[in-house]
Short mmCIF file of all heavy atoms in Angstrom, two decimals:
data_model
loop_
_atom_site.label_atom_id
_atom_site.label_comp_id
_atom_site.label_asym_id
_atom_site.label_seq_id
_atom_site.Cartn_x
_atom_site.Cartn_y
_atom_site.Cartn_z
N VAL H 232 18.89 -30.93 -61.71
CA VAL H 232 17.88 -30.08 -62.36
C VAL H 232 17.22 -29.16 -61.35
O VAL H 232 16.96 -27.99 -61.62
CB VAL H 232 16.82 -30.94 -63.07
CG1 VAL H 232 15.71 -30.06 -63.65
CG2 VAL H 232 17.47 -31.76 -64.19
N TYR H 233 16.95 -29.68 -60.15
CA TYR H 233 16.25 -28.91 -59.12
C TYR H 233 17.14 -28.77 -57.89
O TYR H 233 17.05 -29.56 -56.94
CB TYR H 233 14.93 -29.60 -58.76
CG TYR H 233 13.94 -29.60 -59.90
CD1 TYR H 233 13.76 -30.73 -60.69
CD2 TYR H 233 13.20 -28.47 -60.20
CE1 TYR H 233 12.86 -30.73 -61.75
CE2 TYR H 233 12.29 -28.46 -61.25
CZ TYR H 233 12.13 -29.58 -62.01
OH TYR H 233 11.24 -29.58 -63.06
N PRO H 234 17.99 -27.76 -57.86
CA PRO H 234 18.99 -27.64 -56.80
C PRO H 234 18.47 -27.05 -55.49
O PRO H 234 19.15 -27.12 -54.46
CB PRO H 234 20.05 -26.71 -57.42
CG PRO H 234 19.25 -25.84 -58.36
CD PRO H 234 18.18 -26.73 -58.91
N ASP H 235 17.28 -26.43 -55.52
CA ASP H 235 16.79 -25.72 -54.34
C ASP H 235 15.74 -26.55 -53.60
O ASP H 235 15.08 -27.42 -54.18
CB ASP H 235 16.18 -24.37 -54.74
CG ASP H 235 17.15 -23.51 -55.53
OD1 ASP H 235 18.33 -23.43 -55.13
OD2 ASP H 235 16.74 -22.95 -56.57
N ASP H 236 15.58 -26.25 -52.32
CA ASP H 236 14.52 -26.85 -51.52
C ASP H 236 13.59 -25.73 -51.08
O ASP H 236 14.00 -24.80 -50.40
CB ASP H 236 15.09 -27.57 -50.29
CG ASP H 236 13.99 -28.27 -49.48
OD1 ASP H 236 13.19 -27.56 -48.84
OD2 ASP H 236 13.95 -29.50 -49.48
N VAL H 237 12.34 -25.81 -51.50
CA VAL H 237 11.33 -24.82 -51.12
C VAL H 237 10.14 -25.57 -50.56
O VAL H 237 9.56 -26.43 -51.23
CB VAL H 237 10.90 -23.96 -52.32
CG1 VAL H 237 9.79 -22.99 -51.92
CG2 VAL H 237 12.09 -23.20 -52.89
N ALA H 238 9.82 -25.29 -49.31
CA ALA H 238 8.69 -25.94 -48.63
C ALA H 238 8.81 -27.47 -48.70
O ALA H 238 7.82 -28.17 -48.83
CB ALA H 238 7.36 -25.48 -49.20
N GLY H 239 10.06 -27.97 -48.62
CA GLY H 239 10.28 -29.40 -48.62
C GLY H 239 10.23 -30.08 -49.96
O GLY H 239 10.30 -31.31 -50.03
N ARG H 240 10.15 -29.29 -51.05
CA ARG H 240 10.10 -29.88 -52.38
C ARG H 240 11.30 -29.44 -53.20
O ARG H 240 11.73 -28.28 -53.13
CB ARG H 240 8.82 -29.46 -53.11
CG ARG H 240 7.54 -30.03 -52.55
CD ARG H 240 6.38 -29.64 -53.43
NE ARG H 240 6.46 -30.27 -54.75
CZ ARG H 240 5.85 -31.40 -55.08
NH1 ARG H 240 5.12 -32.05 -54.18
NH2 ARG H 240 5.96 -31.89 -56.30
N PRO H 241 11.84 -30.33 -54.06
CA PRO H 241 12.90 -29.91 -54.99
C PRO H 241 12.35 -28.84 -55.92
O PRO H 241 11.24 -28.96 -56.44
CB PRO H 241 13.26 -31.18 -55.74
CG PRO H 241 12.05 -32.07 -55.59
CD PRO H 241 11.45 -31.74 -54.25
N SER H 242 13.12 -27.78 -56.12
CA SER H 242 12.64 -26.63 -56.89
C SER H 242 13.79 -25.98 -57.63
O SER H 242 14.96 -26.23 -57.33
CB SER H 242 11.99 -25.58 -55.96
OG SER H 242 10.95 -26.12 -55.19
N ARG H 243 13.45 -25.17 -58.61
CA ARG H 243 14.44 -24.33 -59.27
C ARG H 243 13.81 -22.99 -59.59
O ARG H 243 12.63 -22.90 -59.91
CB ARG H 243 15.01 -24.97 -60.52
CG ARG H 243 14.01 -25.24 -61.64
CD ARG H 243 14.72 -25.71 -62.90
NE ARG H 243 13.78 -26.02 -63.97
CZ ARG H 243 14.14 -26.21 -65.24
NH1 ARG H 243 15.41 -26.13 -65.59
NH2 ARG H 243 13.24 -26.50 -66.15
N LEU H 244 14.61 -21.94 -59.47
CA LEU H 244 14.19 -20.56 -59.73
C LEU H 244 14.84 -20.06 -61.00
O LEU H 244 15.98 -20.42 -61.31
CB LEU H 244 14.60 -19.65 -58.57
CG LEU H 244 13.72 -19.60 -57.32
CD1 LEU H 244 14.53 -19.00 -56.18
CD2 LEU H 244 12.47 -18.78 -57.56
N TRP H 245 14.14 -19.20 -61.73
CA TRP H 245 14.72 -18.56 -62.90
C TRP H 245 14.28 -17.10 -62.93
O TRP H 245 13.10 -16.81 -63.07
CB TRP H 245 14.31 -19.26 -64.18
CG TRP H 245 15.03 -18.73 -65.38
CD1 TRP H 245 14.63 -17.73 -66.22
CD2 TRP H 245 16.31 -19.15 -65.85
NE1 TRP H 245 15.57 -17.51 -67.20
CE2 TRP H 245 16.62 -18.36 -66.99
CE3 TRP H 245 17.23 -20.11 -65.42
CZ2 TRP H 245 17.81 -18.52 -67.71
CZ3 TRP H 245 18.40 -20.25 -66.14
CH2 TRP H 245 18.69 -19.47 -67.26
N ASP H 246 15.24 -16.22 -62.81
CA ASP H 246 14.97 -14.78 -62.83
C ASP H 246 15.11 -14.28 -64.26
O ASP H 246 16.08 -14.57 -64.94
CB ASP H 246 15.99 -14.07 -61.92
CG ASP H 246 15.60 -12.64 -61.63
OD1 ASP H 246 14.53 -12.21 -62.07
OD2 ASP H 246 16.39 -11.95 -60.94
N TYR H 247 14.11 -13.56 -64.75
CA TYR H 247 14.18 -12.98 -66.08
C TYR H 247 13.82 -11.50 -65.99
O TYR H 247 13.52 -10.98 -64.91
CB TYR H 247 13.29 -13.72 -67.08
CG TYR H 247 11.84 -13.84 -66.71
CD1 TYR H 247 10.89 -12.94 -67.18
CD2 TYR H 247 11.40 -14.89 -65.90
CE1 TYR H 247 9.55 -13.06 -66.84
CE2 TYR H 247 10.05 -15.02 -65.58
CZ TYR H 247 9.14 -14.10 -66.04
OH TYR H 247 7.81 -14.23 -65.70
N SER H 248 13.84 -10.81 -67.10
CA SER H 248 13.80 -9.35 -67.08
C SER H 248 12.53 -8.79 -66.44
O SER H 248 12.57 -7.78 -65.74
CB SER H 248 13.94 -8.78 -68.50
OG SER H 248 12.91 -9.27 -69.35
N ASP H 249 11.38 -9.47 -66.67
CA ASP H 249 10.12 -8.93 -66.17
C ASP H 249 9.57 -9.65 -64.96
O ASP H 249 8.52 -9.28 -64.43
CB ASP H 249 9.05 -8.98 -67.28
CG ASP H 249 9.45 -8.14 -68.49
OD1 ASP H 249 10.03 -7.05 -68.28
OD2 ASP H 249 9.19 -8.57 -69.62
N GLY H 250 10.24 -10.71 -64.52
CA GLY H 250 9.71 -11.46 -63.40
C GLY H 250 10.58 -12.65 -63.04
O GLY H 250 11.78 -12.67 -63.31
N CYS H 251 9.96 -13.66 -62.44
CA CYS H 251 10.69 -14.84 -61.99
C CYS H 251 9.73 -16.02 -62.00
O CYS H 251 8.53 -15.86 -61.74
CB CYS H 251 11.22 -14.61 -60.57
SG CYS H 251 12.31 -15.91 -59.94
N TRP H 252 10.24 -17.20 -62.34
CA TRP H 252 9.42 -18.40 -62.20
C TRP H 252 10.11 -19.41 -61.30
O TRP H 252 11.33 -19.43 -61.16
CB TRP H 252 9.03 -19.03 -63.52
CG TRP H 252 10.08 -19.45 -64.50
CD1 TRP H 252 10.42 -18.82 -65.64
CD2 TRP H 252 10.91 -20.63 -64.45
NE1 TRP H 252 11.41 -19.51 -66.30
CE2 TRP H 252 11.71 -20.63 -65.59
CE3 TRP H 252 11.03 -21.68 -63.54
CZ2 TRP H 252 12.65 -21.63 -65.86
CZ3 TRP H 252 11.97 -22.69 -63.79
CH2 TRP H 252 12.76 -22.66 -64.95
#
Side-chain angles (χ1 to χ4, degrees):
V232 175
Y233 294 100
D235 305 316
D236 183 289
V237 176
R240 291 185 67 95
S242 304
R243 63 173 178 167
L244 278 163
W245 187 268
D246 193 2
Y247 56 95
S248 59
D249 298 322
C251 186
W252 57 255

